[in-house]
Coordinates of all heavy atoms in Angstrom, one line a residue:
M17 N 101.4 92.3 85.4 CA 102.7 91.8 85.8 C 103.3 92.6 86.8 O 103.1 93.9 87.0 CB 103.6 91.9 84.5 CG 104.9 91.4 84.9 SD 105.9 91.4 83.3 CE 107.3 90.5 83.9
K18 N 103.9 91.9 87.9 CA 104.5 92.5 89.0 C 105.8 93.3 88.5 O 106.5 92.8 87.7 CB 104.9 91.5 90.0 CG 103.7 90.8 90.7 CD 104.1 89.8 91.7 CE 102.9 89.2 92.3 NZ 103.3 88.2 93.4
A19 N 106.1 94.5 89.3 CA 107.2 95.1 89.0 C 108.5 94.5 89.6 O 108.4 94.1 90.7 CB 107.1 96.6 89.5
L20 N 109.5 94.4 88.8 CA 110.8 93.8 89.3 C 111.6 94.9 90.0 O 111.8 96.0 89.5 CB 111.5 93.2 88.2 CG 110.9 91.9 87.5 CD1 111.7 91.5 86.4 CD2 110.7 90.9 88.5
I21 N 112.1 94.5 91.0 CA 113.0 95.5 91.8 C 114.5 95.1 91.5 O 115.4 96.0 91.6 CB 112.7 95.6 93.2 CG1 113.4 96.7 93.9 CG2 113.0 94.3 94.0 CD1 113.0 97.1 95.2
L22 N 114.7 93.8 91.3 CA 116.1 93.4 91.2 C 116.2 92.3 90.1 O 115.4 91.4 90.0 CB 116.6 92.8 92.4 CG 118.0 92.4 92.5 CD1 119.1 93.5 92.2 CD2 118.4 91.7 93.9
S23 N 117.1 92.5 89.2 CA 117.3 91.5 88.1 C 118.7 91.3 87.9 O 119.5 92.2 88.1 CB 116.5 91.8 86.9 OG 117.1 92.9 86.3
A24 N 119.0 90.0 87.6 CA 120.6 89.8 87.4 C 120.6 88.9 86.0 O 119.7 88.1 85.7 CB 121.1 89.1 88.5
G25 N 121.6 88.9 85.4 CA 121.9 88.0 84.3 C 123.3 87.7 84.1 O 124.3 88.3 84.6
K26 N 123.5 86.5 83.5 CA 124.9 86.0 83.2 C 124.9 85.3 81.9 O 124.0 84.6 81.5 CB 125.3 85.1 84.3 CG 126.7 84.6 84.2 CD 127.0 83.7 85.5 CE 128.5 83.3 85.3 NZ 129.0 82.6 86.5
N27 N 126.1 85.4 81.2 CA 126.3 84.8 79.9 C 126.9 83.5 80.3 O 128.1 83.4 80.6 CB 127.2 85.7 79.1 CG 127.2 85.2 77.6 OD1 126.5 84.1 77.3 ND2 127.9 85.9 76.8
C28 N 126.2 82.4 80.1 CA 126.8 81.0 80.3 C 127.7 80.5 79.3 O 128.7 80.0 79.5 CB 125.7 80.0 80.6 SG 124.7 80.4 82.1
F29 N 127.1 80.5 78.0 CA 127.8 80.0 76.9 C 127.7 81.1 75.9 O 127.1 82.2 76.0 CB 127.3 78.8 76.4 CG 127.4 77.7 77.4 CD1 126.3 77.1 78.1 CD2 128.7 77.0 77.7 CE1 126.4 76.2 79.0 CE2 128.8 76.0 78.6 CZ 127.7 75.5 79.3
K30 N 128.3 80.8 74.7 CA 128.3 81.7 73.5 C 126.8 82.2 73.2 O 126.7 83.4 73.0 CB 128.9 81.0 72.4 CG 129.2 82.0 71.3 CD 130.0 81.2 70.1 CE 130.6 82.1 69.2 NZ 131.3 81.4 68.1
D31 N 125.9 81.4 73.1 CA 124.6 81.7 72.8 C 123.6 81.5 73.9 O 122.3 81.6 73.5 CB 124.2 80.8 71.5 CG 124.9 81.1 70.3 OD1 125.4 82.2 70.2 OD2 125.1 80.1 69.5
L32 N 124.0 81.2 75.1 CA 123.1 81.1 76.2 C 123.3 82.1 77.2 O 124.4 82.3 77.7 CB 123.3 79.7 76.9 CG 122.4 79.3 78.0 CD1 120.9 79.3 77.6 CD2 122.9 78.0 78.6
F33 N 122.2 82.8 77.5 CA 122.2 84.1 78.6 C 121.0 83.7 79.3 O 119.9 83.5 78.9 CB 122.1 85.3 77.8 CG 122.3 86.5 78.6 CD1 123.5 86.8 79.1 CD2 121.1 87.2 79.0 CE1 123.7 88.0 79.9 CE2 121.3 88.3 79.8 CZ 122.5 88.7 80.3
Y34 N 121.2 83.7 80.7 CA 120.0 83.7 81.5 C 119.9 84.9 82.5 O 120.9 85.5 82.8 CB 120.1 82.3 82.3 CG 121.0 82.2 83.4 CD1 120.6 82.6 84.7 CD2 122.4 81.8 83.4 CE1 121.5 82.7 85.8 CE2 123.2 81.8 84.3 CZ 122.8 82.2 85.6 OH 123.7 82.1 86.7
T35 N 118.7 85.1 82.9 CA 118.5 86.3 83.8 C 117.5 85.7 85.0 O 116.7 84.8 84.7 CB 117.8 87.5 83.1 OG1 116.5 87.0 82.6 CG2 118.7 88.0 82.1
A36 N 117.5 86.4 85.9 CA 116.6 86.1 87.1 C 116.1 87.4 87.6 O 116.8 88.4 87.8 CB 117.3 85.3 88.2
G37 N 114.9 87.4 88.1 CA 114.3 88.7 88.6 C 113.4 88.3 89.8 O 112.9 87.2 89.9
W38 N 113.2 89.2 90.7 CA 112.5 89.0 91.9 C 111.3 90.0 91.9 O 111.6 91.2 91.8 CB 113.3 89.0 93.1 CG 114.2 87.9 93.3 CD1 114.1 86.7 93.8 CD2 115.6 87.8 92.7 NE1 115.2 85.9 93.6 CE2 116.1 86.7 92.9 CE3 116.3 88.8 92.0 CZ2 117.4 86.2 92.6 CZ3 117.6 88.3 91.6 CH2 118.2 87.1 91.9
P39 N 110.1 89.6 92.3 CA 109.1 90.6 92.5 C 109.4 91.5 93.7 O 110.0 91.1 94.7 CB 107.9 89.8 92.7 CG 108.1 88.4 92.2 CD 109.6 88.3 92.4
K40 N 108.9 92.7 93.7 CA 109.3 93.7 94.6 C 108.7 93.3 96.0 O 109.5 93.4 97.0 CB 108.7 95.1 94.3 CG 109.0 96.1 95.2 CD 108.5 97.5 94.7 CE 109.0 98.6 95.5 NZ 108.5 99.9 94.9
S41 N 107.5 92.7 96.1 CA 106.9 92.3 97.4 C 107.7 91.2 98.0 O 108.0 91.3 99.2 CB 105.5 91.9 97.1 OG 105.4 90.8 96.3
E42 N 108.1 90.2 97.3 CA 108.9 89.1 97.8 C 110.2 89.5 98.2 O 110.8 89.1 99.3 CB 109.0 88.0 96.8 CG 107.7 87.3 96.4 CD 108.0 86.2 95.4 OE1 109.1 85.7 95.2 OE2 107.0 85.7 94.7
L43 N 110.9 90.4 97.4 CA 112.3 90.9 97.9 C 112.2 91.7 99.2 O 113.0 91.6 100.0 CB 112.8 91.7 96.7 CG 114.2 92.0 96.9 CD1 115.1 90.7 97.0 CD2 114.8 92.8 95.7
Q44 N 111.2 92.5 99.4 CA 110.9 93.3 100.6 C 110.8 92.5 101.7 O 111.3 92.8 102.9 CB 109.8 94.3 100.4 CG 110.1 95.5 99.5 CD 109.0 96.4 99.2 OE1 107.9 96.1 99.5 NE2 109.3 97.7 98.8
Q45 N 109.9 91.4 101.6 CA 109.8 90.4 102.7 C 111.1 89.7 103.0 O 111.5 89.5 104.2 CB 108.7 89.5 102.4 CG 107.4 89.9 102.3 CD 106.4 88.8 101.9 OE1 106.7 87.8 101.2 NE2 105.1 88.9 102.3
L46 N 111.9 89.4 102.1 CA 113.2 88.8 102.3 C 114.2 89.7 103.1 O 114.8 89.4 103.9 CB 113.7 88.3 100.9 CG 115.2 87.6 101.0 CD1 115.0 86.3 101.9 CD2 115.6 87.3 99.7
L47 N 114.2 90.9 102.5 CA 115.1 91.9 103.2 C 114.7 92.2 104.7 O 115.6 92.4 105.5 CB 115.1 93.2 102.4 CG 115.8 93.2 101.0 CD1 115.6 94.5 100.2 CD2 117.2 92.8 101.2
K48 N 113.3 92.3 104.9 CA 112.9 92.5 106.2 C 113.3 91.3 107.2 O 113.7 91.5 108.3 CB 111.4 92.7 106.3 CG 110.9 94.0 105.8 CD 109.4 94.2 105.8 CE 108.9 95.5 105.3 NZ 107.5 95.6 105.3
S49 N 113.2 90.1 106.6 CA 113.5 88.9 107.4 C 115.0 88.9 107.7 O 115.5 88.6 108.8 CB 113.2 87.7 106.5 OG 113.7 86.6 107.2
I50 N 115.9 89.3 106.7 CA 117.2 89.4 106.9 C 117.7 90.4 107.9 O 118.5 90.2 108.8 CB 118.0 89.6 105.5 CG1 117.9 88.4 104.7 CG2 119.5 90.0 105.7 CD1 118.4 88.5 103.2
A51 N 117.0 91.6 107.8 CA 117.3 92.6 108.8 C 117.0 92.2 110.1 O 117.7 92.5 111.1 CB 116.5 93.9 108.4
L52 N 115.8 91.5 110.4 CA 115.4 91.1 111.6 C 116.4 90.0 112.2 O 116.8 90.1 113.4 CB 114.0 90.4 111.6 CG 113.4 90.0 113.0 CD1 113.3 91.1 113.9 CD2 112.0 89.4 112.7
T53 N 116.8 89.1 111.4 CA 117.8 88.1 111.7 C 119.1 88.7 112.2 O 119.7 88.4 113.2 CB 118.0 87.1 110.6 OG1 116.8 86.5 110.2 CG2 118.9 85.9 111.0
S54 N 119.5 89.7 111.4 CA 120.8 90.5 111.8 C 120.7 91.2 113.1 O 121.6 91.1 113.9 CB 121.1 91.4 110.6 OG 121.4 90.7 109.4
L55 N 119.6 91.8 113.2 CA 119.3 92.5 114.5 C 119.3 91.6 115.7 O 120.0 91.8 116.7 CB 118.1 93.3 114.4 CG 117.8 94.2 115.6 CD1 118.7 95.1 115.9 CD2 116.4 94.7 115.6
L56 N 118.8 90.4 115.5 CA 118.5 89.5 116.6 C 119.9 88.8 116.9 O 120.1 88.4 118.1 CB 117.5 88.5 116.4 CG 116.0 89.0 116.4 CD1 115.0 87.9 116.1 CD2 115.6 89.6 117.8
S57 N 120.7 88.7 116.0 CA 122.1 88.1 116.3 C 123.0 89.1 116.8 O 123.9 88.8 117.5 CB 122.5 87.4 115.0 OG 122.7 88.3 113.9
A58 N 122.9 90.3 116.3 CA 123.9 91.4 116.7 C 123.7 91.9 118.1 O 124.5 92.3 118.8 CB 124.0 92.5 115.7
L59 N 122.4 92.0 118.4 CA 122.0 92.7 119.7 C 122.5 91.9 120.9 O 123.1 92.7 121.8 CB 120.5 92.8 119.8 CG 120.0 93.7 120.9 CD1 120.4 95.2 120.7 CD2 118.4 93.8 120.8
P60 N 122.5 90.7 121.0 CA 123.1 89.9 122.2 C 124.6 90.2 122.2 O 125.2 90.3 123.4 CB 122.7 88.4 122.0 CG 121.5 88.5 121.1 CD 121.7 89.7 120.3
V61 N 125.3 90.1 121.0 CA 126.7 90.3 121.0 C 127.1 91.7 121.6 O 128.1 91.9 122.4 CB 127.3 90.1 119.6 CG1 128.7 90.5 119.5 CG2 127.0 88.7 119.2
I62 N 126.3 92.8 121.2 CA 126.6 94.1 121.7 C 126.4 94.2 123.1 O 127.2 94.8 123.8 CB 125.7 95.1 120.8 CG1 126.0 95.1 119.4 CG2 125.8 96.5 121.5 CD1 125.0 95.9 118.6
I63 N 125.3 93.7 123.7 CA 125.1 93.7 125.1 C 126.1 93.0 125.9 O 126.5 93.5 126.8 CB 123.6 93.1 125.3 CG1 122.6 94.1 124.8 CG2 123.4 93.0 126.8 CD1 121.1 93.6 124.8
L64 N 126.4 91.7 125.4 CA 127.4 91.0 126.2 C 128.8 91.6 126.2 O 129.5 91.6 127.2 CB 127.5 89.6 125.7 CG 126.3 88.6 125.9 CD1 126.5 87.3 125.2 CD2 126.1 88.4 127.4
S65 N 129.2 92.2 125.0 CA 130.5 92.8 125.0 C 130.5 94.1 125.9 O 131.5 94.4 126.4 CB 130.8 93.1 123.5 OG 130.0 94.0 122.9
T66 N 129.4 94.9 125.9 CA 129.4 95.9 126.8 C 129.5 95.6 128.2 O 130.3 96.2 129.0 CB 128.1 96.7 126.5 OG1 128.0 97.1 125.2 CG2 128.0 98.0 127.4
L67 N 128.7 94.5 128.6 CA 128.8 93.9 130.0 C 130.1 93.5 130.3 O 130.7 93.8 131.4 CB 127.8 93.0 130.3 CG 126.3 93.4 130.2 CD1 125.4 92.1 130.3 CD2 126.1 94.4 131.3
L68 N 130.8 92.8 129.4 CA 132.2 92.4 129.6 C 133.2 93.5 129.8 O 134.1 93.5 130.6 CB 132.6 91.5 128.5 CG 134.0 90.9 128.5 CD1 134.2 89.9 129.8 CD2 134.4 90.3 127.3
L69 N 133.0 94.5 129.0 CA 133.9 95.7 129.1 C 133.8 96.4 130.4 O 134.7 96.6 131.1 CB 133.6 96.7 128.0 CG 134.4 98.0 128.0 CD1 135.9 97.8 127.7 CD2 133.8 98.9 126.9
F70 N 132.5 96.6 130.9 CA 132.3 97.3 132.2 C 132.7 96.4 133.3 O 133.3 96.9 134.3 CB 130.8 97.7 132.3 CG 130.5 98.9 131.6 CD1 129.7 99.0 130.4 CD2 131.0 100.2 132.2 CE1 129.4 100.1 129.7 CE2 130.7 101.3 131.4 CZ 130.0 101.3 130.3
W71 N 132.6 95.1 133.2 CA 133.1 94.2 134.3 C 134.6 94.2 134.4 O 135.1 94.3 135.5 CB 132.6 92.8 133.9 CG 133.1 91.8 135.0 CD1 132.6 91.7 136.3 CD2 134.1 90.9 134.9 NE1 133.4 90.7 136.9 CE2 134.3 90.2 136.1 CE3 135.0 90.6 133.9 CZ2 135.2 89.2 136.3 CZ3 135.9 89.6 133.9 CH2 136.1 89.0 135.2
L72 N 135.3 94.2 133.2 CA 136.8 94.3 133.2 C 137.3 95.6 133.8 O 138.2 95.6 134.6 CB 137.3 94.0 131.8 CG 137.3 92.6 131.4 CD1 137.7 92.5 129.9 CD2 138.3 91.8 132.2
L73 N 136.6 96.7 133.4 CA 137.1 98.0 133.8 C 136.8 98.1 135.3 O 137.7 98.6 136.1 CB 136.2 99.2 133.2 CG 136.7 99.5 131.8 CD1 135.8 100.6 131.1 CD2 138.1 100.0 131.8
N74 N 135.7 97.6 135.8 CA 135.4 97.7 137.3 C 136.5 96.8 138.0 O 137.0 97.2 139.0 CB 134.0 97.1 137.5 CG 133.7 97.2 139.1 OD1 133.9 98.3 139.6 ND2 132.9 96.4 139.5
K75 N 136.8 95.6 137.5 CA 137.7 94.7 138.2 C 139.1 95.2 138.1 O 139.9 95.1 139.1 CB 137.7 93.3 137.6 CG 138.6 92.4 138.3 CD 138.4 91.0 137.6 CE 139.4 90.1 138.3 NZ 138.9 88.9 138.9
L76 N 139.5 95.7 136.9 CA 141.0 96.1 136.8 C 141.3 97.6 137.1 O 142.5 97.9 137.3 CB 141.4 95.7 135.3 CG 141.4 94.3 135.0 CD1 141.7 94.2 133.5 CD2 142.2 93.5 135.8
L77 N 140.3 98.4 137.1 CA 140.5 99.8 137.4 C 139.8 100.4 138.5 O 140.5 101.0 139.5 CB 140.2 100.6 136.1 CG 140.6 102.1 136.1 CD1 142.1 102.2 136.0 CD2 140.0 102.7 134.8
I78 N 138.5 100.2 138.7 CA 137.8 101.0 139.6 C 138.0 100.3 141.1 O 138.3 101.1 142.0 CB 136.3 100.8 139.4 CG1 136.0 101.4 138.0 CG2 135.4 101.5 140.4 CD1 136.4 103.0 137.8
K79 N 138.0 99.1 141.2 CA 138.2 98.4 142.4 C 139.6 98.7 143.0 O 139.7 99.0 144.3 CB 138.0 96.9 142.4 CG 136.5 96.6 142.4 CD 136.3 95.1 142.6 CE 134.7 94.9 142.6 NZ 134.4 93.5 142.7
P80 N 140.7 98.5 142.3 CA 142.0 98.9 142.9 C 142.1 100.5 143.3 O 142.7 100.8 144.3 CB 142.9 98.7 141.7 CG 142.3 97.7 140.8 CD 140.8 98.0 140.9
I81 N 141.5 101.4 142.5 CA 141.5 102.7 142.9 C 140.7 102.9 144.2 O 141.1 103.7 145.1 CB 140.8 103.7 141.8 CG1 141.9 103.6 140.6 CG2 140.6 105.1 142.2 CD1 141.4 104.3 139.4
L82 N 139.6 102.2 144.3 CA 138.7 102.4 145.5 C 139.6 101.8 146.8 O 139.6 102.3 147.9 CB 137.4 101.6 145.4 CG 136.5 101.6 146.5 CD1 136.1 103.0 146.9 CD2 135.3 100.7 146.3
Q83 N 140.2 100.6 146.5 CA 141.1 100.1 147.6 C 142.2 101.1 147.9 O 142.5 101.2 149.2 CB 141.7 98.8 147.1 CG 142.4 98.0 148.2 CD 141.3 97.5 149.3 OE1 140.3 97.2 149.1 NE2 141.8 97.6 150.6
L84 N 142.9 101.6 147.1 CA 143.9 102.7 147.4 C 143.4 103.8 148.1 O 143.9 104.3 149.1 CB 144.5 103.2 146.0 CG 145.5 102.2 145.4 CD1 145.9 102.8 144.0 CD2 146.7 102.0 146.3
T85 N 142.1 104.3 147.8 CA 141.5 105.4 148.5 C 141.3 105.0 149.9 O 141.5 105.7 150.9 CB 140.2 105.8 147.8 OG1 140.5 106.1 146.5 CG2 139.5 106.9 148.6
L86 N 140.7 103.7 150.1 CA 140.4 103.3 151.5 C 141.7 103.2 152.3 O 141.8 103.5 153.5 CB 139.7 101.9 151.5 CG 138.2 102.0 150.9 CD1 137.6 100.6 150.7 CD2 137.3 102.9 151.7
N87 N 142.7 102.6 151.7 CA 144.0 102.4 152.4 C 144.6 103.9 152.7 O 145.3 103.9 153.8 CB 145.0 101.7 151.6 CG 144.6 100.2 151.6 OD1 143.9 99.8 152.5 ND2 145.1 99.4 150.5
A88 N 144.5 104.7 151.9 CA 145.0 106.1 152.1 C 144.2 106.8 153.3 O 144.9 107.4 154.1 CB 145.0 107.0 150.9
R89 N 142.9 106.5 153.3 CA 142.2 107.2 154.5 C 142.5 106.5 155.8 O 142.7 107.1 156.8 CB 140.7 107.0 154.1 CG 140.1 108.0 153.2 CD 138.7 107.8 153.1 NE 138.3 108.6 151.9 CZ 137.1 108.5 151.3 NH1 136.3 107.5 151.6 NH2 136.7 109.4 150.3
K90 N 142.8 105.1 155.7 CA 143.0 104.4 156.9 C 144.4 104.9 157.4 O 144.7 105.0 158.6 CB 143.1 102.9 156.6 CG 143.3 102.0 157.7 CD 143.3 100.5 157.2 CE 143.8 99.5 158.2 NZ 143.7 98.2 157.6
N91 N 145.4 105.0 156.5 CA 146.8 105.5 156.9 C 146.7 106.9 157.3 O 147.5 107.3 158.3 CB 147.7 105.4 155.6 CG 148.1 103.9 155.5 OD1 148.0 103.1 156.3 ND2 148.6 103.7 154.3
G92 N 145.8 107.8 156.8 CA 145.7 109.1 157.3 C 145.2 109.2 158.7 O 145.5 110.1 159.5
Q93 N 144.3 108.3 159.1 CA 143.7 108.3 160.4 C 144.7 107.9 161.4 O 144.6 108.3 162.6 CB 142.4 107.5 160.4 CG 141.3 108.0 159.7 CD 140.2 107.0 159.5 OE1 140.3 105.8 159.9 NE2 139.0 107.5 159.0
T94 N 145.6 107.1 161.1 CA 146.6 106.5 162.1 C 147.9 107.4 162.1 O 148.9 106.9 162.6 CB 147.0 105.1 161.9 OG1 147.5 104.9 160.5 CG2 145.7 104.2 161.9
K95 N 147.9 108.5 161.5 CA 149.0 109.4 161.2 C 149.7 109.8 162.6 O 150.9 109.8 162.7 CB 148.7 110.6 160.4 CG 149.8 111.5 160.1 CD 149.3 112.6 159.2 CE 149.1 113.9 160.0 NZ 148.8 115.0 159.1
G96 N 148.9 110.0 163.6 CA 149.5 110.5 164.9 C 150.1 109.3 165.6 O 151.0 109.7 166.5
T97 N 149.9 108.2 165.3 CA 150.5 107.1 166.1 C 151.8 106.5 165.5 O 152.4 105.6 166.1 CB 149.4 105.9 166.3 OG1 149.1 105.4 165.0 CG2 148.1 106.4 167.0
V98 N 152.2 107.0 164.3 CA 153.4 106.5 163.7 C 154.5 107.2 164.2 O 154.6 108.4 164.2 CB 153.3 106.5 162.2 CG1 154.6 106.1 161.6 CG2 152.1 105.7 161.8
D99 N 155.6 106.6 164.7 CA 156.8 107.2 165.2 C 157.9 107.3 164.1 O 158.4 106.2 163.7 CB 157.4 106.5 166.4 CG 158.5 107.2 167.0 OD1 158.7 108.4 166.8 OD2 159.3 106.5 167.8
I100 N 158.1 108.4 163.6 CA 159.2 108.6 162.5 C 160.4 109.3 163.0 O 161.3 109.6 162.3 CB 158.5 109.4 161.3 CG1 158.0 110.8 161.8 CG2 157.4 108.6 160.6 CD1 157.8 111.8 160.6
S101 N 160.6 109.5 164.3 CA 161.7 110.2 164.8 C 163.0 109.4 164.6 O 164.0 110.0 164.4 CB 161.4 110.6 166.3 OG 161.3 109.4 167.1
A102 N 162.9 108.1 164.7 CA 164.1 107.3 164.5 C 164.6 107.5 163.0 O 165.8 107.4 162.8 CB 163.9 105.8 164.8
D103 N 163.7 107.6 162.1 CA 164.1 107.7 160.8 C 164.8 109.1 160.4 O 165.6 109.2 159.7 CB 162.9 107.5 159.7 CG 162.5 106.1 159.8 OD1 163.3 105.2 160.0 OD2 161.2 105.9 159.4
L104 N 164.3 110.1 161.2 CA 164.8 111.5 160.9 C 166.3 111.7 161.6 O 166.9 112.5 161.1 CB 163.9 112.4 161.6 CG 162.6 112.6 160.9 CD1 161.7 113.7 161.8 CD2 162.7 113.1 159.5
Q105 N 166.6 110.8 162.6 CA 168.0 111.0 163.2 C 169.1 110.4 162.5 O 170.3 110.7 162.6 CB 167.9 110.4 164.6 CG 167.1 111.1 165.6 CD 166.9 110.5 166.9 OE1 167.5 109.3 167.1 NE2 166.3 111.1 167.8
R106 N 168.8 109.6 161.4 CA 169.9 108.9 160.6 C 170.6 109.9 159.8 O 170.5 110.8 159.3 CB 169.4 107.9 159.8 CG 168.9 106.7 160.5 CD 168.5 105.6 159.5 NE 167.7 104.6 160.2 CZ 167.1 103.7 159.6 NH1 167.1 103.5 158.3 NH2 166.4 102.9 160.3

Protein backbone atom coordinates (compact mmCIF):
# COMPACT_ATOMS: atom_id res chain seq x y z
CA MET A 1 0.00 0.00 0.00
CA LYS A 2 1.22 3.50 -0.85
CA ALA A 3 1.93 5.87 2.00
CA LEU A 4 -0.56 8.68 2.38
CA ILE A 5 0.79 12.16 2.87
CA LEU A 6 -2.52 13.95 3.17
CA SER A 7 -5.91 12.79 4.29
CA ALA A 8 -9.07 14.66 5.12
CA GLY A 9 -12.40 13.70 6.56
CA LYS A 10 -15.81 15.18 7.14
CA ASN A 11 -18.89 14.14 9.02
CA CYS A 12 -21.77 14.39 6.53
CA PHE A 13 -24.62 13.00 8.58
CA LYS A 14 -25.07 11.47 11.98
CA ASP A 15 -23.79 8.06 10.92
CA LEU A 16 -21.98 8.96 7.69
CA PHE A 17 -18.32 9.99 7.70
CA TYR A 18 -16.12 10.12 4.63
CA THR A 19 -12.40 10.52 4.21
CA ALA A 20 -10.12 11.11 1.26
CA GLY A 21 -6.42 10.46 0.96
CA TRP A 22 -3.83 11.08 -1.71
CA PRO A 23 -0.75 9.00 -2.43
CA LYS A 24 2.52 10.81 -1.76
CA SER A 25 3.80 10.49 -5.34
CA GLU A 26 0.62 11.94 -6.88
CA LEU A 27 0.49 14.78 -4.40
CA GLN A 28 4.14 15.68 -5.00
CA GLN A 29 3.52 15.82 -8.76
CA LEU A 30 0.49 18.03 -8.19
CA LEU A 31 2.44 20.37 -5.91
CA LYS A 32 5.27 20.64 -8.46
CA SER A 33 2.73 21.46 -11.16
CA ILE A 34 1.10 24.12 -9.00
CA ALA A 35 4.50 25.61 -8.11
CA LEU A 36 5.52 25.78 -11.77
CA THR A 37 2.22 27.38 -12.76
CA SER A 38 2.55 29.94 -9.97
CA LEU A 39 6.10 30.77 -10.99
CA LEU A 40 5.19 31.13 -14.65
CA SER A 41 2.32 33.46 -13.84
CA ALA A 42 4.14 35.56 -11.22
CA LEU A 43 7.42 36.05 -13.09
CA PRO A 44 6.00 38.15 -15.97
CA VAL A 45 4.07 40.30 -13.49
CA ILE A 46 7.24 40.96 -11.50
CA ILE A 47 9.24 41.80 -14.62
CA LEU A 48 6.57 44.08 -16.10
CA SER A 49 5.99 45.93 -12.83
CA THR A 50 9.73 46.48 -12.43
CA LEU A 51 10.02 47.81 -15.97
CA LEU A 52 7.02 50.09 -15.43
CA LEU A 53 8.50 51.44 -12.19
CA PHE A 54 11.85 52.25 -13.79
CA TRP A 55 10.16 53.82 -16.81
CA LEU A 56 8.04 56.06 -14.57
CA LEU A 57 11.03 57.05 -12.45
CA ASN A 58 13.00 57.86 -15.57
CA LYS A 59 10.20 59.93 -17.06
CA LEU A 60 9.10 61.76 -13.91
CA LEU A 61 12.38 62.16 -12.04
CA ILE A 62 15.57 61.48 -13.98
CA LYS A 63 14.74 63.32 -17.23
CA PRO A 64 13.58 66.53 -15.49
CA ILE A 65 16.72 66.57 -13.33
CA LEU A 66 18.88 66.06 -16.41
CA GLN A 67 17.03 68.88 -18.20
CA LEU A 68 17.58 71.18 -15.20
CA THR A 69 21.27 70.31 -15.23
CA LEU A 70 21.59 71.08 -18.93
CA ASN A 71 19.71 74.38 -18.55
CA ALA A 72 21.88 75.38 -15.58
CA ARG A 73 25.04 74.68 -17.58
CA LYS A 74 23.66 76.61 -20.54
CA ASN A 75 22.80 79.58 -18.30
CA GLY A 76 26.22 79.40 -16.67
CA GLN A 77 27.99 79.63 -20.02
CA THR A 78 26.06 82.79 -21.00
CA LYS A 79 26.70 84.44 -17.65
CA GLY A 80 29.00 87.10 -19.05
CA THR A 81 26.51 88.32 -21.65
CA VAL A 82 23.61 89.09 -19.29
CA ASP A 83 23.31 92.75 -18.29
CA ILE A 84 22.03 93.03 -14.71
CA SER A 85 23.17 96.61 -14.07
CA ALA A 86 19.67 97.99 -14.74
CA ASP A 87 18.23 95.76 -12.02
CA LEU A 88 20.85 96.86 -9.50
CA GLN A 89 20.11 100.62 -9.93
CA ARG A 90 16.47 100.34 -8.77
